[in-house]
Amino acid sequence: MNLYKFAKFIVLIIFYPLYRIKVIGKENIPKKGPVIICSNHISNLDPPVVGITSSRDIHFMAKEELFNNFFLGKLLKGIQAFPVKRGMGDRNALRKGLDILNNGEALGLFPEGTRSKTGELGKPLAGVGFFALRSDAQVVPCLIKGPYKPFKRLIVTYGPPMNMEQLRANKTNAKETSEAIMNEIKKLQDN
């Protein structure tokens, strides 16, 4: 068993009962081919929650500073995370993300780029739109709702894949595409 599968198993057996996790729409995640799972971001625990509720193994970007700690850096790499320099166009991270998608794998992104302290959806960064437009990936919106409090219900909802062909055909730019993705996440919140 590799580190990713082992970590997923451990987190799953702890988090499901602790946060009474309910998953809706898991069948919306394509079983194969490149996919970008785009979620709102309300806690540092969002990546493992998306990881354990998804039917696919997911690669996540993580802020570069986390990789500076030797042990944490090794752990993050072992669970398929890769570093990104925040606040700038990090070419290496962009290239790595596109490589993941070109290999038909799943990339997990938080369009807001940082956690929302209020739980409200924030403005998306252009990065998620870049990946959506530069790859053939399907984009699946995801909403995490509920408090991260022991024994309180946490709901993870996966919406249907977006129609990216229309956005690509309309020559939509990365920022507009990111906003369209956030709108799909908002629709999940409003339901």
Side-chain angles (χ1 to χ4, degrees), residues 2-191:
N2 67 27
L3 182 58
Y4 184 93
K5 299 264 191 245
F6 178 74
K8 184 173 181 173
F9 174 74
I10 296 297
V11 172
L12 188 143
I13 62 173
I14 295 169
F15 278 28
Y16 263 87
L18 182 64
Y19 297 118
R20 298 182 55 227
I21 294 174
K22 178 180 179 182
V23 183
I24 300 169
K26 191 174 187 172
E27 69 279 1
N28 288 321
I29 302 169
K31 294 193 182 343
K32 58 184 179 180
V35 63
I36 304 169
I37 296 176
C38 297
S39 178
N40 63 318
H41 200 3
I42 58 173
S43 168
N44 285 329
L45 298 177
D46 293 340
V49 164
V50 173
I52 64 170
T53 59
S54 168
S55 53
R56 303 272 302 265
D57 291 355
I58 303 174
H59 297 264
F60 285 101
M61 286 185 179
K63 61 183 178 181
E64 183 182 46
E65 299 82 33
L66 296 175
F67 290 83
N68 292 337
N69 177 293
F70 178 78
F71 294 106
L72 183 57
K74 287 277 191 202
L75 175 65
L76 288 170
K77 287 178 184 172
I79 58 171
Q80 302 180 166
F82 61 98
V84 61
K85 294 176 186 162
R86 297 189 312 166
M88 62 176 70
D90 182 343
R91 289 179 186 269
N92 288 333
L94 295 174
R95 205 172 295 121
K96 175 70 174 169
L98 286 175
D99 286 346
I100 288 164
L101 295 171
N102 289 335
N103 288 332
E105 298 178 74
L107 179 63
L109 297 174
F110 299 98
E112 299 151 293
T114 191
R115 290 183 319 278
S116 167
K117 301 211 184 332
T118 64
E120 297 296 313
L121 294 178
K123 293 245 182 250
L125 301 175
V128 68
F130 169 85
F131 288 115
L133 293 172
R134 294 283 178 102
S135 70
D136 292 329
Q138 294 191 63
V139 176
V140 174
C142 174
L143 179 79
I144 301 170
K145 184 177 179 182
Y148 276 94
K149 293 189 176 164
F151 312 111
K152 299 283 186 185
R153 171 80 65 198
L154 189 69
I155 301 170
V156 181
T157 305
Y158 292 97
M162 294 176 61
N163 181 355
M164 292 307 300
E165 293 308 316
Q166 185 177 347
L167 289 172
R168 291 176 185 127
N170 291 342
K171 305 261 191 258
T172 309
N173 68 33
K175 183 157 180 42
E176 293 166 337
T177 300
S178 295
E179 287 168 2
I181 292 167
M182 282 305 290
N183 285 338
E184 291 300 309
I185 296 171
K186 185 171 184 352
K187 286 180 190 174
L188 297 175
Q189 186 179 49
D190 294 341
N191 287 338

